[in-house]
Amino acid sequence: MRQKKSSLFLGYFMGLMAVLLFLSSCSDQKKDKPVALYKTYCASCHIAPSINDLPKSIWENAILPEMGARMGIRENGFDPYKGMSFTEQAAMLQTGIYPPKPLISTEDWQLLKQYIIDMAPDSLALTENSIEPMELVQFVPRPITLDAKEGAYFTHLSFDRETNQLNLGDVYGNIVSYDSKNDTVLRIARFRSPVVDYDQGTDASYATMIGSLAPSALNNGAVFKLSDTKPGPVADGLHRPSNTLVVDLNKDGKDEIVVSEYGDLTGQLSLIVEKADGTYAKQLLLNQPGTIRVLARDMDKDGLADLVVSTSQGDEGISILFQQEDLKFRADKVLRFSPVYGTSWFEMIDYDGDGDDDIITVNGDNADESYVLKPYHGLRIHLNDGNNQFEEKYFYPFYGATRVLANDFDKDGDVDFAVLSTFPDYTERPLHTFVYLENKNSNAFEFTPFGIEQSNWAPWFLMEACDYDQDGDDDIVLSAFSIGFTAVPEDLSAYWKEKNLDIMVLENKLMTNFQ
């Protein structure tokens, strides 16, 4: 009898344990399911962003409604086509970005959404640079106003080393050349939309028109050839092209044209090749939105120029397109960033002097759905191990960093950096729109930051390094863009109107001081 009771008790005990284990398993599954959903739906086409990278309010009011729409979910009256013309709506529908039917069950969507909202922080822990920039004395600011018109709207800035003149493109479709010696402005050409690039090829120059500065699904950008013999369009119907590289890739004596079609929710990297009859053929190189810049480098040392391209929409990062035969390319993504980083620009330079190209990036684009000061914005140095594997070795926090120049400005044998911000903290730190990082110890990544009081004299947008004053050292040129991307204090906006500057040259006095 005692043995029977003992067996009965053991049976009850084992049954109870089975129930408890089952309930515990169900509980674990409930906890694990939203994590699995997040990894599945938020990392299907890019790195899953850390939920801690954005505050709760932005997740709830901006990111999640857009994210839901891309999974066929419409909530709280959110309309992804709001404000679009019928033509643009039709173009957007063709992309399939917003599916007409849900790709996720209502139960799973609510579970995923609540998980993100619960996990997101109320605010971001902001990171301030511990070292306040000192006054920059190596460079002397020279502010320049080109005309009496109020405001400056430059969308392109470059320096012509043959004529020693600045070339500028603007939102009105103008390309002008500024001769500093004679203080004159000469119009080169005018086009139908903002000019964002102007490149000199072997026997002609090329102008790139973006079509629409604002995000758009319409393909109304173009590249135009300026030539004494055969001027005319090279490629039309481009999706918001942002950058053009003119280079003879296959060494046949003819230039190829590599176009970064930034696009919006869709975009691509394209190759334009001139055929024997003088017409042009377009070839798809990379089917990805947000292509913003491309450089040509022989990354695998095989004698052929490869293409290094940055992308900044969704799957942010840097890809190398290794050139094969017959202008074919093999793509390898060597750097990936979170989709909230806002990759803006990159430079390539042999930072550590080991014979290969390293990559310098700036992250800071803050114009999309998630405007907030972000502690992960700034400059990063990625060193090449010699096999095109890159590792981040240095980070300099700088809110809204959108441009970088990598150059030995003080000619001491190491690489210095100039960094420009389009999305700074105008309220608390309006002077922190430009910083010059003087390299003090390359191996230890020690830099001394310098700033200029004139950095708040205009909303600086583009930056170029060149020997502007022809004295043997490289200067820095800034150009302004008066259309605001973020909220600006009224007194600062009034100050910009009062100054009414177009460009500012930071004249490097290094060689002058040596003489």
Side-chain angles (χ1 to χ4, degrees):
M1 185 74 178
R2 187 175 300 168
Q3 184 178 0
K4 213 173 200 181
K5 286 185 178 179
S6 176
S7 298
L8 188 62
F9 175 78
L10 182 61
Y12 281 135
F13 177 76
M14 294 300 291
L16 179 61
M17 288 300 295
V19 171
L20 290 174
L21 286 171
F22 174 76
L23 293 174
S24 175
S25 174
C26 291
S27 176
D28 288 342
Q29 287 179 10
K30 287 182 179 179
K31 291 179 181 178
D32 292 342
K33 187 171 184 179
V35 177
L37 289 171
Y38 188 77
K39 291 180 179 178
T40 299
Y41 288 100
C42 299
S44 59
C45 57
H46 54 67
I47 290 177
S50 170
I51 295 176
N52 291 325
D53 280 348
L54 293 173
K56 195 184 302 291
S57 60
I58 288 180
W59 276 113
E60 193 166 8
N61 301 321
I63 303 301
L64 285 171
E66 173 68 20
M67 180 178 166
R70 295 196 189 196
M71 291 191 286
I73 302 290
R74 303 287 193 275
E75 285 189 324
N76 303 321
F78 179 77
D79 181 7
Y81 303 106
K82 184 178 180 180
M84 293 184 185
S85 66
F86 288 118
T87 303
E88 188 162 5
Q89 286 186 38
M92 185 63 75
L93 283 167
Q94 289 181 353
T95 68
I97 295 293
Y98 301 113
K101 295 181 179 180
L103 305 179
I104 184 174
S105 70
T106 301
E107 180 184 357
D108 282 353
W109 168 246
Q110 293 300 327
L111 192 64
L112 173 59
K113 186 173 68 170
Q114 194 59 52
Y115 169 72
I116 293 173
I117 293 173
D118 290 343
M119 294 293 293
D122 292 329
S123 60
L124 299 185
L126 300 184
T127 302
E128 295 284 356
N129 290 304
S130 58
I131 303 176
E132 190 70 16
M134 297 186 293
E135 182 183 358
L136 181 60
V137 296
Q138 181 183 325
F139 295 82
V140 176
R142 305 291 188 198
I144 298 172
T145 299
L146 299 180
D147 53 47
K149 296 179 182 178
E150 184 177 296
Y153 304 94
F154 296 116
T155 48
H156 170 73
L157 170 67
S158 61
F159 184 73
D160 189 327
R161 298 182 186 278
E162 292 185 4
T163 63
N164 296 321
Q165 295 178 352
L166 286 173
N167 294 325
L168 298 130
D170 64 24
V171 296
Y172 307 110
N174 295 306
I175 301 176
V176 300
S177 178
Y178 175 60
D179 183 350
S180 61
K181 289 186 176 180
N182 300 311
D183 193 27
T184 56
V185 177
L186 173 67
R187 180 193 284 180
I188 298 174
R190 184 171 185 176
F191 299 95
R192 66 175 186 256
S193 72
V195 175
V196 293
D197 214 339
Y198 180 60
D199 303 90
Q200 184 65 45
T202 303
D203 57 1
S205 53
Y206 299 84
T208 303
M209 295 149 278
I210 193 170
S212 172
L213 281 179
S216 172
L218 299 179
N219 301 333
N220 52 10
V223 174
F224 196 94
K225 182 178 182 179
L226 287 79
S227 169
D228 293 335
T229 55
K230 291 183 178 181
V234 169
D236 212 336
L238 302 177
H239 193 181
R240 298 182 71 224
S242 61
N243 174 254
T244 300
L245 173 68
V246 181
V247 59
D248 183 2
L249 289 169
N250 57 0
K251 299 182 179 180
D252 66 349
K254 288 185 178 181
D255 287 327
E256 282 75 47
I257 305 167
V258 186
V259 184
S260 298
E261 295 185 63
Y262 186 92
D264 182 21
L265 301 181
T266 62
Q268 61 189 34
L269 183 71
S270 303
L271 178 66
I272 312 296
V273 180
E274 185 177 1
K275 298 190 294 185
D277 61 359
T279 61
Y280 293 86
K282 181 180 175 182
Q283 173 184 332
L284 175 66
L285 294 182
L286 194 64
N287 188 18
Q288 187 175 336
T291 55
I292 196 168
R293 189 182 196 211
V294 61
L295 296 174
R297 296 286 191 277
D298 185 2
M299 300 300 294
D300 54 6
K301 310 298 183 185
D302 65 350
L304 296 175
D306 307 305
L307 300 174
V308 186
V309 58
S310 63
T311 51
S312 56
Q313 288 275 81
D315 193 6
E316 297 193 16
I318 303 286
S319 295
I320 300 176
L321 277 65
F322 294 98
Q323 186 177 173
Q324 313 294 298
E325 295 181 355
D326 301 322
L327 290 177
K328 303 299 181 184
F329 294 84
R330 175 182 58 83
D332 182 17
K333 178 151 284 190
V334 295
L335 288 174
R336 295 186 82 187
F337 305 117
S338 166
V340 302
Y341 267 39
T343 302
S344 299
W345 202 250
F346 80 102
E347 293 286 343
M348 300 196 72
I349 196 167
D350 186 1
Y351 174 85
D352 52 7
D354 64 353
D356 51 38
D357 283 321
D358 306 302
I359 297 176
I360 315 300
T361 61
V362 283
N363 307 90
D365 184 359
N366 218 352
D368 293 325
E369 305 290 343
S370 61
Y371 175 67
V372 67
L373 293 175
K374 296 171 180 171
Y376 39 85
H377 277 177
L379 173 143
R380 288 174 169 83
I381 299 175
H382 312 269
L383 294 188
N384 190 341
D385 68 354
N387 296 306
N388 295 314
Q389 301 296 313
F390 295 84
E391 182 180 358
E392 181 183 322
K393 290 291 188 179
Y394 176 76
F395 171 60
Y396 181 82
F398 197 58
Y399 296 140
T402 47
R403 279 292 188 277
V404 59
L405 299 173
N407 197 321
D408 185 6
F409 287 103
D410 54 9
K411 295 186 180 296
D412 64 351
D414 53 31
V415 181
D416 311 300
F417 300 106
V419 188
L420 191 64
S421 170
T422 307
F423 305 90
D425 183 358
Y426 281 125
T427 302
E428 298 296 330
R429 309 184 81 181
L431 292 179
H432 286 229
T433 62
F434 171 86
V435 66
Y436 173 75
L437 300 177
E438 183 181 343
N439 197 335
K440 293 298 186 180
N441 187 324
S442 289
N443 294 330
F445 300 98
E446 294 178 357
F447 298 87
T448 300
F450 293 89
I452 54 172
E453 180 183 351
Q454 294 83 356
S455 64
N456 72 332
W457 281 17
W460 306 116
F461 184 54
L462 302 175
M463 185 166 58
E464 175 78 323
C466 59
D467 189 1
Y468 176 85
D469 53 13
Q470 298 298 292
D471 66 349
D473 51 32
D474 280 336
D475 311 300
I476 298 171
V477 182
L478 311 177
S479 64
F481 191 77
S482 298
I483 299 176
F485 295 100
T486 62
V488 178
E490 290 185 6
D491 58 341
L492 182 57
S493 182
Y495 187 55
W496 289 343
K497 289 182 179 180
E498 177 188 338
K499 289 291 185 181
N500 196 30
L501 297 179
D502 292 303
I503 59 178
M504 181 163 67
V505 178
L506 304 180
E507 291 186 359
N508 192 345
K509 293 303 177 184
L510 180 70
M511 300 308 295
T512 303
N513 294 334
F514 283 166
Q515 295 172 357

